[in-house]
Amino acid sequence: MVWSLQSLSELSDTEFERWGKLLEERAGIYMGDQQRVFLQTQVTMRMRELDFERYSDYLEYILDGVSGMLEWTRLIDRLVVKETSFFRHKESIDFIARHLADRLMNNNSDDAFELWSVGCSTGEEPYSLAMVINDAYQWVNKDPLYGITATDISRAALSLAKNGVYNDRKLERLNETYCKRYFTQLDDGKYQIISSLRDRICFHQGNILNIAEMPVVKVDVIYCQNLLIYFKKWLRESIMNAFVERLKSGGVLVIGLGEVVDWSHPKMKRLSAEEVQAYVHI
């Protein structure tokens, strides 16, 4: 029988524990029992491609030298690159738009508006934020003065994000005005974010698990949606505390609704927005 058509045995408790420990140590990702089937599916798909028959052999391959590190990167792409879309959780993005509009109308400062998109995946999130930020500047009749730093653990996802090219399915949920204003149709029928918007975003590879090693560059907004759910409670809170040190006074932290509960910090105040989980640096 051809190996690719064979069924694999299920991950044993011992093997699942070894894989879980590796993911937590290297990427901070916690795999509970509810993610067991997902982990097994993604690992076995890659094993078939490389003709591995045993989980233990594939794990040893990943742990061995430079080739193993490259393979680890490929596997991580499959495990953490989430399906995303433009204006995913529109309430949070609209909140950022209102926050900036209020600032521009009530503040005569010409300081640049700096935002950090954490776990940006293939770019839809930071581009959506750039659209509403650009609109806010136009609405108050001011020249756009902003920049977005977007980070993700996956180099493959970042490569797609930097190009800013998407198929028509990705644009289905977008307002027609945004499609006309911020995209150019290419010869192959796909659509690319206009260069003036792409130039506002700096994409970087980074593992949020190593946030303590990242430069402390203070920004006006940290936007982190649907990422913290991958981590254990204590690690979520540790990352949140590190975010605080990277916010300017008056800066805002937006996370996924319900991703972190019962977190508090003496420098942060929870904002009373029912559909958005946001905090302001006081």
Side-chain angles (χ1 to χ4, degrees):
M1 180 181 289
V2 179
W3 158 238
S4 61
L5 299 180
Q6 294 178 357
S7 61
L8 285 166
S9 60
E10 293 187 1
L11 274 170
S12 68
D13 291 343
T14 300
E15 288 166 334
F16 179 63
E17 184 178 345
R18 288 187 70 192
W19 278 100
K21 183 178 180 181
L22 180 66
L23 285 164
E24 191 165 352
E25 288 178 348
R26 287 193 175 183
I29 300 170
Y30 172 67
M31 287 281 178
D33 285 335
Q34 63 271 31
Q35 285 93 33
R36 187 168 185 153
V37 173
F38 169 74
L39 174 62
Q40 179 176 307
T41 300
Q42 298 303 317
V43 170
T44 55
M45 285 173 61
R46 187 59 183 156
M47 287 172 60
R48 284 192 175 96
E49 293 171 6
L50 298 176
D51 289 331
F52 280 100
E53 298 186 19
R54 297 189 300 179
Y55 295 107
S56 58
D57 290 341
Y58 180 50
L59 183 60
E60 291 303 320
Y61 175 67
I62 284 177
L63 295 173
D64 185 26
V66 175
S67 60
M69 287 302 299
L70 291 173
E71 177 57 27
W72 167 255
T73 300
R74 296 186 185 97
L75 181 62
I76 280 292
D77 285 343
R78 299 194 175 195
L79 294 174
V80 304
V81 176
K82 55 187 182 293
E83 177 67 21
T84 186
S85 60
F86 289 104
F87 288 85
R88 183 179 184 183
H89 203 256
K90 189 174 183 297
E91 294 85 354
S92 293
I93 293 176
D94 287 344
F95 173 83
I96 297 300
R98 292 193 301 271
H99 170 72
L100 176 57
D102 289 342
R103 165 177 158 155
L104 292 174
M105 288 189 295
N106 300 313
N107 189 343
N108 293 323
S109 172
D110 291 328
D111 292 341
F113 184 74
E114 301 290 343
L115 183 146
W116 180 16
S117 169
V118 187
C120 66
S121 191
T122 48
E124 289 90 330
E125 175 181 285
Y127 286 128
S128 298
L129 289 163
M131 291 177 202
V132 299
I133 291 172
N134 204 68
D135 282 357
Y137 275 97
Q138 290 186 0
W139 188 60
V140 298
N141 198 29
K142 289 187 177 182
D143 292 333
L145 188 61
Y146 70 93
I148 296 175
T149 299
T151 57
D152 199 272
I153 193 173
S154 169
R155 296 186 186 277
L158 289 170
S159 178
L160 294 172
K162 290 176 182 178
N163 289 331
V165 176
Y166 303 93
N167 59 38
D168 54 359
R169 183 181 65 84
K170 283 287 187 178
L171 275 63
E172 287 177 352
R173 294 172 56 187
L174 264 178
N175 182 296
E176 186 177 350
T177 301
Y178 283 124
C179 294
K180 292 180 178 179
R181 186 184 302 168
Y182 293 119
F183 290 85
T184 300
Q185 187 168 14
L186 305 178
D187 292 339
D188 61 2
K190 293 183 179 180
Y191 295 83
Q192 185 172 36
I193 298 285
I194 59 173
S195 60
S196 59
L197 215 63
R198 296 201 313 273
D199 292 344
R200 293 284 179 178
I201 304 175
C202 184
F203 290 98
H204 284 292
Q205 194 272 342
N207 186 346
I208 196 64
L209 184 65
N210 301 325
I211 188 171
E213 301 171 10
M214 296 179 180
V216 181
V217 179
K218 294 185 180 293
V219 296
D220 298 283
V221 172
I222 296 177
Y223 192 92
C224 182
Q225 287 272 338
N226 304 307
L227 176 66
L228 297 175
I229 54 174
Y230 287 104
F231 306 134
K232 285 187 174 179
K233 183 177 183 293
W234 70 266
L235 186 52
R236 297 178 197 179
E237 295 182 349
S238 176
I239 293 170
M240 293 277 284
N241 292 337
F243 282 156
V244 174
E245 302 306 314
R246 288 159 175 78
L247 277 173
K248 298 176 184 178
S249 178
V252 170
L253 168 63
V254 177
I255 65 173
L257 196 61
E259 282 191 276
V260 176
V261 296
D262 299 329
W263 176 79
S264 63
H265 192 284
K267 294 182 180 180
M268 301 295 288
K269 178 184 177 182
R270 173 81 184 262
L271 298 177
S272 56
E274 291 185 2
E275 296 180 323
V276 176
Q277 189 164 344
Y279 305 82
V280 62
H281 192 291
I282 54 178

